[in-house]
Amino acid sequence: MYQSTDETFMKKAIQVAEQAAAIGEVPIGAVIVKDGEIIAFAYNLRETEQRSVAHAELLAIDEACKALGTWRLSGCTLYVTLEPCPMCSGAIVLSRIDRVVYGASDPKGGCAGTLMNLLDEPRFNHQAVVTSSVLEEECSLMLKQFFQDLRKRKKLEKAENDS
Protein backbone atom coordinates (compact mmCIF):
# COMPACT_ATOMS: atom_id res chain seq x y z
CA MET A 1 0.00 0.00 0.00
CA TYR A 2 1.26 3.48 -0.90
CA GLN A 3 1.81 5.78 2.05
CA SER A 4 1.97 9.54 1.56
CA THR A 5 4.92 11.57 2.77
CA ASP A 6 2.57 13.44 5.13
CA GLU A 7 1.51 10.17 6.74
CA THR A 8 5.11 9.02 7.06
CA PHE A 9 6.18 12.17 8.92
CA MET A 10 2.98 12.24 11.00
CA LYS A 11 3.76 8.69 12.15
CA LYS A 12 7.11 10.01 13.37
CA ALA A 13 5.29 12.84 15.19
CA ILE A 14 3.06 10.21 16.82
CA GLN A 15 6.14 8.26 17.95
CA VAL A 16 7.54 11.46 19.43
CA ALA A 17 4.21 12.14 21.18
CA GLU A 18 4.31 8.66 22.71
CA GLN A 19 7.57 9.65 24.40
CA ALA A 20 5.70 12.52 26.07
CA ALA A 21 2.94 10.18 27.27
CA ALA A 22 5.58 7.84 28.72
CA ILE A 23 6.73 10.59 31.11
CA GLY A 24 3.22 11.81 31.97
CA GLU A 25 3.12 14.71 29.52
CA VAL A 26 0.18 15.42 27.23
CA PRO A 27 1.09 13.35 24.15
CA ILE A 28 1.76 15.98 21.53
CA GLY A 29 4.68 15.52 19.16
CA ALA A 30 6.13 17.83 16.53
CA VAL A 31 8.54 17.11 13.67
CA ILE A 32 10.09 19.69 11.34
CA VAL A 33 11.15 18.61 7.87
CA LYS A 34 13.24 20.40 5.26
CA ASP A 35 14.10 18.93 1.86
CA GLY A 36 12.58 15.60 2.86
CA GLU A 37 14.74 15.25 5.99
CA ILE A 38 13.77 15.60 9.63
CA ILE A 39 15.81 18.46 11.05
CA ALA A 40 14.12 18.72 14.47
CA PHE A 41 11.52 17.08 16.67
CA ALA A 42 10.16 17.60 20.16
CA TYR A 43 7.32 16.73 22.48
CA ASN A 44 5.47 18.62 25.18
CA LEU A 45 7.47 19.30 28.34
CA ARG A 46 5.08 21.75 30.01
CA GLU A 47 4.46 19.62 33.12
CA THR A 48 8.02 18.32 33.42
CA GLU A 49 9.58 21.77 33.17
CA GLN A 50 6.63 23.72 34.62
CA ARG A 51 6.94 26.19 31.75
CA SER A 52 3.83 27.35 29.91
CA VAL A 53 5.80 27.79 26.68
CA ALA A 54 7.24 24.24 26.59
CA HIS A 55 4.88 23.15 23.80
CA ALA A 56 6.09 20.58 21.27
CA GLU A 57 5.92 23.04 18.37
CA LEU A 58 7.94 25.76 20.12
CA LEU A 59 10.61 23.32 21.26
CA ALA A 60 10.87 21.85 17.74
CA ILE A 61 11.06 25.33 16.19
CA ASP A 62 13.88 26.22 18.57
CA GLU A 63 15.78 23.03 17.65
CA ALA A 64 15.25 23.64 13.92
CA CYS A 65 16.62 27.18 14.24
CA LYS A 66 19.71 25.81 15.96
CA ALA A 67 20.11 23.07 13.33
CA LEU A 68 19.88 25.52 10.42
CA GLY A 69 21.65 28.41 12.13
CA THR A 70 18.82 30.84 11.36
CA TRP A 71 15.47 31.93 12.76
CA ARG A 72 13.93 31.80 9.28
CA LEU A 73 12.55 28.33 8.65
CA SER A 74 11.52 28.93 5.04
CA GLY A 75 11.17 25.71 3.09
CA CYS A 76 10.19 23.78 6.22
CA THR A 77 7.07 21.79 7.05
CA LEU A 78 5.91 21.28 10.63
CA TYR A 79 4.07 18.05 11.43
CA VAL A 80 2.22 18.07 14.74
CA THR A 81 -0.24 15.64 16.27
CA LEU A 82 -2.60 18.35 17.60
CA GLU A 83 -3.68 21.57 15.90
CA PRO A 84 -1.47 24.47 17.03
CA CYS A 85 -2.69 26.86 19.72
CA PRO A 86 -2.50 30.68 19.36
CA MET A 87 1.00 30.84 20.87
CA CYS A 88 2.39 28.11 18.62
CA SER A 89 0.61 29.54 15.57
CA GLY A 90 2.28 32.87 16.26
CA ALA A 91 5.69 31.20 16.47
CA ILE A 92 5.01 29.38 13.19
CA VAL A 93 4.23 32.66 11.45
CA LEU A 94 7.22 34.44 12.98
CA SER A 95 9.62 31.63 12.07
CA ARG A 96 8.37 31.63 8.46
CA ILE A 97 7.50 27.92 8.32
CA ASP A 98 5.88 27.34 4.93
CA ARG A 99 3.52 24.50 5.73
CA VAL A 100 1.82 22.95 8.76
CA VAL A 101 0.33 19.46 8.80
CA TYR A 102 -1.64 18.43 11.86
CA GLY A 103 -3.53 15.37 13.00
CA ALA A 104 -6.27 16.11 15.54
CA SER A 105 -8.28 19.32 15.59
CA ASP A 106 -8.43 21.26 18.86
CA PRO A 107 -11.94 22.61 19.46
CA LYS A 108 -10.79 24.53 22.57
CA GLY A 109 -7.67 26.23 21.25
CA GLY A 110 -6.99 25.38 17.63
CA CYS A 111 -5.74 28.34 15.63
CA ALA A 112 -4.98 26.60 12.35
CA GLY A 113 -8.58 26.47 11.18
CA THR A 114 -10.83 25.33 14.02
CA LEU A 115 -11.40 28.44 16.16
CA MET A 116 -9.60 30.70 13.72
CA ASN A 117 -6.72 30.41 11.29
CA LEU A 118 -3.82 32.59 12.39
CA LEU A 119 -1.63 30.78 9.86
CA ASP A 120 -3.60 32.24 6.95
CA GLU A 121 -4.17 35.73 8.34
CA PRO A 122 -3.50 38.14 5.45
CA ARG A 123 -2.60 41.00 7.79
CA PHE A 124 0.53 39.14 8.90
CA ASN A 125 3.65 39.30 6.76
CA HIS A 126 3.74 35.50 6.40
CA GLN A 127 1.17 32.77 5.90
CA ALA A 128 1.56 29.00 6.11
CA VAL A 129 -0.33 26.43 4.09
CA VAL A 130 -2.32 24.13 6.39
CA THR A 131 -3.18 20.47 5.85
CA SER A 132 -5.45 19.05 8.55
CA SER A 133 -6.70 15.63 9.65
CA VAL A 134 -3.62 13.59 8.66
CA LEU A 135 -3.86 10.37 10.69
CA GLU A 136 -6.52 12.18 12.70
CA GLU A 137 -7.97 9.04 14.23
CA GLU A 138 -4.63 7.85 15.63
CA CYS A 139 -3.77 11.31 16.96
CA SER A 140 -7.20 11.81 18.55
CA LEU A 141 -7.25 8.36 20.10
CA MET A 142 -3.84 8.88 21.69
CA LEU A 143 -5.02 12.11 23.34
CA LYS A 144 -8.39 10.67 24.44
CA GLN A 145 -6.70 7.62 25.97
CA PHE A 146 -4.19 9.80 27.82
CA PHE A 147 -6.90 11.95 29.40
CA GLN A 148 -9.09 8.94 30.24
CA ASP A 149 -6.14 7.33 32.03
CA LEU A 150 -5.34 10.60 33.81
CA ARG A 151 -8.92 10.93 35.08
CA LYS A 152 -8.86 7.30 36.31
CA ARG A 153 -5.58 7.88 38.16
CA LYS A 154 -6.90 11.05 39.80
CA LYS A 155 -10.10 9.27 40.82
CA LEU A 156 -8.10 6.42 42.38
CA GLU A 157 -5.82 8.88 44.19
CA LYS A 158 -8.84 10.72 45.56
CA ALA A 159 -10.42 7.47 46.74
CA GLU A 160 -7.17 6.43 48.46
CA ASN A 161 -6.87 9.83 50.15
CA ASP A 162 -10.48 9.74 51.32
CA SER A 163 -10.12 6.32 52.95
Side-chain angles (χ1 to χ4, degrees):
M1 181 179 118
Y2 173 76
Q3 184 178 36
S4 78
T5 302
D6 285 350
E7 288 178 354
T8 300
F9 288 121
M10 186 60 74
K11 283 187 183 215
K12 176 62 177 171
I14 290 169
Q15 290 172 352
V16 172
E18 288 168 348
Q19 294 176 331
I23 62 168
E25 288 284 349
V26 177
I28 300 170
V31 171
I32 298 179
V33 174
K34 183 173 176 101
D35 300 326
E37 299 290 327
I38 295 173
I39 60 165
F41 61 89
Y43 52 82
N44 265 18
L45 288 172
R46 194 165 64 166
E47 295 299 325
T48 302
E49 296 183 358
Q50 289 299 298
R51 292 187 315 122
S52 57
V53 298
H55 286 206
E57 300 97 317
L58 295 182
L59 297 172
I61 287 169
D62 196 41
E63 288 304 311
C65 290
K66 289 175 189 172
L68 295 178
T70 181
W71 62 267
R72 290 179 185 89
L73 300 180
S74 300
C76 292
T77 299
L78 168 70
Y79 293 86
V80 62
T81 55
L82 181 66
E83 180 180 5
C85 71
M87 175 177 65
C88 293
S89 294
I92 291 163
V93 169
L94 293 173
S95 65
R96 310 291 199 273
I97 289 174
D98 289 335
R99 185 166 175 253
V100 174
V101 179
Y102 71 85
S105 295
D106 183 356
K108 294 182 179 178
C111 285
T114 298
L115 294 178
M116 64 183 65
N117 191 348
L118 291 176
L119 302 179
D120 192 31
E121 172 54 56
R123 293 173 291 181
F124 290 143
N125 64 343
H126 179 78
Q127 290 78 40
V129 174
V130 175
T131 302
S132 62
S133 305
V134 174
L135 300 180
E136 180 178 25
E137 192 172 319
E138 293 92 324
C139 293
S140 295
L141 184 62
M142 182 174 42
L143 287 160
K144 285 177 188 169
Q145 190 63 55
F146 174 82
F147 286 112
Q148 284 174 352
D149 293 347
L150 182 64
R151 284 189 290 275
K152 285 179 192 172
R153 278 196 312 275
K154 287 187 176 188
K155 193 174 184 179
L156 281 174
E157 288 172 8
K158 185 179 182 334
E160 288 173 2
N161 291 337
D162 289 346
S163 58

